Amino acid sequence: MASYDYEGASTGYDESSATHRGGSQPPSSGQDLGYDPNFVPDSVKSFVVHLYRHIREKNVYEIHQMYETSFQTLSERLFKDTPWPSVDAVAPYVDNDHVFCLLYREMWFRHLYARLTPTLKQRIDSWDNYISLFQVVLHGVVNMQLPNQWLWDMVDEFVYQFQSFCQYRAKMKNKTDQEISLLKQFDQAWNVYGVLNFLQALVEKSMIIQILERENEGLERFTATDGYDYDGGSNVLKVLGYFSMVGLLRVHCLLGDYNTGLQRLLPIDISQQGVYTIVIGSHITTIYHYGFANLMLRRYTDAIREFNKILLYILKTKHYHQKSPQYEQILKKNEQMYALLATCLSLCPRVNLVEETINVQLREKYGEKMSRMQRYDDEAFAIYDELFSYACPKFITPSAPSFEEPLVNYNQDAYRLQLKLFLYEVKQQQLLTGVRTFLKVYSTISLGKLASYMEVDEPTLRTILLTYKHKTHAVDSDGKIVSNADVDFYIDDDMIFVVDSKPAKRHGDLFLRQIVKFEGLMNDLERVKPEKLEKPEKLEAGSRS
């Protein structure tokens, strides 16, 4: 593109570049259906020409329309079961522009993953394409503006393809000799360190953390402008860096490193509206992984609050996204987060943190199961297992297989480990059921009396009470110890004093709801045109006015 200035980047599309390992177009999963990678329909020619022009002109609105609508329409109509035309075939229509070809290929692979099953060679080529694209962004001068949706999809797809590759590589039992040879040859493809380094490099090079800090001081307008640069600059690096923090949270959750994932997200204040809330996929992904990480770290109240907010948001807005290509994913994550919320509330019954609307939905979906989960017997553990398995991320083992040993499938190992750790935590909560029940009944009770009720001796009871204290407290992101307990207590000599954390009455919420109802009533009355009333008769003296 003539308006771009890339340092050290070629101006034309180079067939022998690293994105084409071996120099040939990667084999398509749709070739056996009569797919010709070199045939470009007129509608596709028109699409790439106009998209190329709009990117050169920085026309974000038109780019967004073509990306969100035109690309999906053409995919549905012409490429439902086959890939799009190869990048070599469309390159002549866009001046063989190097960066546009990288962007086109990123969309090409994303469509392939969504519609077909990529081959190992295609997975490797997609990794190379992301390397080339991110290196241009990191080391070049990118003078273009792209829609936030596209930039989010780049990061989201990058992490998804990494996850997909790890799952694919871990299924070694039925691999062919050719696949094993390719895995050995390209052992750095989708390497976990490479994925983390690129995401971290985007965060650091974009200086997005400093930008958000300056915004808090009133010196920047990143969120106010939705991340766009209205002074003629580029939003690409800044917004990619911003979304990469969400990508890092997701990768660390897939690896089971929840504390590091939450640390990477700290620069984004999720209690406020931000650029991450503008794109529905980004909003849901952020809160889903944030909530799940807090669940695994026993920060149940934080998880409950955020699940409650996002589920309420989806409930109010999901009808606006019915025609969106992400609609099915929105519904799936919505159901998964209800399952996670049910799990959190079963371990930490802070129902006062949940809006009534969401609580009604939750009880309809999981009311019976939540009642059974309180018993902590084998049936309860089976339900915890079921909900966790349904709602958890698809954990990955990032290490490469050992090719010397007998080839086995190990794609479920990471999931089984996380499930085992979670159920071990649930098992430990079994001791707390009796304690919580008695603490809710009494305001003061002696250690000896409670020990006799629970049929244990006093030293064992003290151990149980210490366990209760430990399991109902967690360390937050600032290193402070916070309580998750709905009922707390302290011991003075041999007496237990109970502190019941009653929810504060929300008088403000009540008045706001009544005001909204009253305004609705007034609007209804104003729309009614009353008939002309006759002049009332004069009131008799002494009658009430």
Side-chain angles (χ1 to χ4, degrees):
M1 294 181 186
S3 60
Y4 296 167
D5 179 18
Y6 302 112
E7 295 177 357
S10 58
T11 55
Y13 190 78
D14 181 6
E15 283 191 36
S16 61
S17 67
T19 60
H20 278 271
R21 293 189 186 274
S24 60
Q25 176 67 21
S28 165
S29 301
Q31 283 182 351
D32 56 338
L33 302 175
Y35 167 69
D36 181 1
N38 297 314
F39 174 68
V40 184
D42 290 340
S43 53
V44 173
K45 292 178 188 175
S46 176
F47 172 81
V48 295
V49 167
H50 283 86
L51 182 60
Y52 174 56
R53 188 184 74 198
H54 292 317
I55 290 177
R56 289 183 62 181
E57 296 171 353
K58 297 186 182 179
N59 191 335
V60 178
Y61 176 79
E62 290 296 338
I63 298 170
H64 181 80
Q65 291 297 109
M66 295 195 70
Y67 175 78
E68 274 285 276
T69 306
S70 303
F71 184 75
Q72 299 299 332
T73 302
L74 287 172
S75 296
E76 187 67 27
R77 185 159 56 90
L78 299 177
F79 309 108
K80 201 168 186 177
D81 303 310
T82 60
W84 274 60
S86 70
V87 68
D88 298 319
V90 302
Y93 303 106
V94 293
D95 301 332
N96 290 300
D97 185 88
H98 178 66
V99 176
F100 184 88
C101 288
L102 292 174
L103 291 171
Y104 175 84
R105 254 189 141 219
E106 193 271 336
M107 295 168 66
W108 190 95
F109 281 114
R110 184 137 37 88
H111 169 266
L112 178 73
Y113 270 80
R115 301 274 181 168
L116 304 162
T117 302
T119 64
L120 175 55
K121 185 65 167 58
Q122 288 168 335
R123 293 174 189 271
I124 294 168
D125 286 341
S126 183
W127 163 251
D128 285 336
N129 192 69
Y130 273 117
I131 289 177
S132 299
L133 181 57
F134 288 158
Q135 283 179 341
V136 166
V137 174
L138 289 168
H139 305 299
V141 180
V142 182
N143 184 26
M144 62 181 174
Q145 297 243 43
L146 293 178
N148 286 331
Q149 179 70 60
W150 194 348
L151 295 171
W152 160 250
D153 287 343
M154 280 185 200
V155 174
D156 184 52
E157 185 72 12
F158 180 64
V159 176
Y160 166 73
Q161 289 188 21
F162 163 64
Q163 174 187 342
S164 176
F165 182 84
C166 290
Q167 294 283 349
Y168 166 85
R169 183 177 56 187
K171 298 176 183 177
M172 292 298 297
K173 222 170 188 179
N174 298 318
K175 290 284 186 287
T176 64
D177 292 339
Q178 183 183 9
E179 288 176 313
I180 293 172
S181 175
L182 279 173
L183 286 172
K184 289 180 179 178
Q185 183 182 357
F186 302 114
D187 57 341
Q188 294 303 305
W190 295 109
N191 178 279
V192 62
Y193 297 112
V195 171
L196 290 171
N197 286 340
F198 269 112
L199 292 173
Q200 189 61 37
L202 288 167
V203 173
E204 293 175 1
K205 186 66 182 287
S206 66
M207 300 188 70
I208 187 62
I209 296 176
Q210 292 85 343
I211 290 172
L212 293 176
E213 288 174 350
R214 286 169 57 81
E215 185 174 50
N216 290 334
E217 299 170 2
L219 303 175
E220 288 276 355
R221 299 182 68 251
F222 179 77
T223 304
T225 60
D226 295 343
Y228 293 109
D229 190 326
Y230 292 109
D231 297 326
S234 171
N235 70 326
V236 173
L237 179 58
K238 288 190 296 184
V239 177
L240 279 178
Y242 182 90
F243 286 137
S244 289
M245 290 189 286
V246 180
L248 284 167
L249 165 66
R250 182 178 169 189
V251 172
H252 285 296
C253 280
L254 295 174
L255 298 173
D257 187 358
Y258 307 108
N259 191 60
T260 302
L262 292 175
Q263 289 292 325
R264 294 295 173 265
L265 192 69
L266 272 180
I268 300 177
D269 184 0
I270 64 168
S271 66
Q272 305 292 329
Q273 294 289 312
V275 174
Y276 82 96
T277 62
I278 295 169
V279 181
I280 183 70
S282 164
H283 193 179
I284 291 174
T285 298
T286 302
I287 302 303
Y288 168 79
H289 288 93
Y290 174 88
F292 186 83
N294 277 293
L295 165 62
M296 297 299 283
L297 293 172
R298 296 203 326 272
R299 302 174 188 172
Y300 302 120
T301 53
D302 288 341
I304 291 169
R305 284 193 185 97
E306 294 307 320
F307 282 141
N308 170 67
K309 286 195 292 187
I310 189 66
L311 289 170
L312 192 62
Y313 173 78
I314 294 173
L315 186 66
K316 292 178 178 178
T317 62
K318 67 180 179 181
H319 60 280
Y320 294 115
H321 301 281
Q322 287 181 352
K323 295 183 179 179
S324 168
Q326 292 89 25
Y327 186 64
E328 288 185 9
Q329 188 67 13
I330 292 171
L331 294 182
K332 179 182 178 182
K333 283 289 178 240
N334 183 66
E335 294 303 313
Q336 286 181 315
M337 286 189 287
Y338 269 113
L340 292 175
L341 180 58
T343 303
C344 289
L345 288 171
S346 298
L347 295 169
C348 174
R350 298 290 299 273
V351 185
N352 59 299
L353 299 176
V354 181
E355 294 282 345
E356 183 61 28
T357 310
I358 299 303
N359 195 31
V360 170
Q361 296 279 326
L362 183 66
R363 296 296 165 182
E364 287 179 0
K365 296 174 184 292
Y366 294 107
E368 183 184 345
K369 288 185 177 181
M370 288 175 70
S371 298
R372 285 150 57 192
M373 288 161 78
Q374 295 300 317
R375 297 201 295 263
Y376 293 97
D377 53 14
D378 290 342
E379 184 183 9
F381 291 137
I383 297 173
Y384 276 109
D385 186 333
E386 174 194 335
L387 294 187
F388 183 89
S389 301
Y390 168 69
C392 70
K394 291 185 177 179
F395 301 106
I396 57 173
T397 302
S399 57
S402 173
F403 298 104
E404 306 303 324
E405 300 174 5
L407 301 179
V408 295
N409 293 344
Y410 61 97
N411 57 302
Q412 294 292 315
D413 288 0
Y415 153 71
R416 292 193 187 101
L417 175 60
Q418 296 301 317
L419 176 63
K420 179 182 177 181
L421 293 172
F422 172 73
L423 291 180
Y424 181 66
E425 179 67 35
V426 172
K427 187 77 173 177
Q428 290 180 326
Q429 299 269 358
Q430 185 175 19
L431 287 171
L432 308 183
T433 53
V435 174
R436 186 181 283 118
T437 302
F438 285 112
L439 292 180
K440 284 190 173 183
V441 174
Y442 292 93
S443 57
T444 57
I445 186 173
S446 67
L447 280 169
K449 192 174 182 180
L450 182 56
S452 65
Y453 284 156
M454 295 187 64
E455 300 178 350
V456 294
D457 55 30
E458 285 194 29
T460 302
L461 177 60
R462 286 182 180 273
T463 302
I464 292 173
L465 292 173
L466 282 172
T467 303
Y468 179 89
K469 279 287 188 182
H470 172 64
K471 292 301 180 184
T472 56
H473 287 74
V475 181
D476 67 10
S477 56
D478 296 324
K480 297 177 182 178
I481 296 176
V482 294
S483 173
N484 291 312
D486 55 332
V487 180
D488 208 350
F489 68 92
Y490 65 92
I491 300 175
D492 188 1
D493 290 332
D494 290 333
M495 292 297 295
I496 303 171
F497 295 87
V498 180
V499 182
D500 191 354
S501 57
K502 294 181 179 179
K505 293 183 179 179
R506 301 179 181 178
H507 299 294
D509 290 348
L510 173 64
F511 280 115
L512 285 173
R513 285 196 297 269
Q514 297 304 318
I515 289 169
V516 170
K517 287 182 181 179
F518 180 73
E519 288 180 345
L521 181 61
M522 293 299 295
N523 290 334
D524 291 340
L525 288 174
E526 286 177 1
R527 285 195 291 269
V528 177
K529 294 182 179 179
E531 297 180 4
K532 190 175 182 181
L533 300 175
E534 295 181 3
K535 188 175 180 180
E537 296 181 2
K538 187 176 181 181
L539 293 172
E540 295 181 3
S543 63
R544 291 183 180 181
S545 58

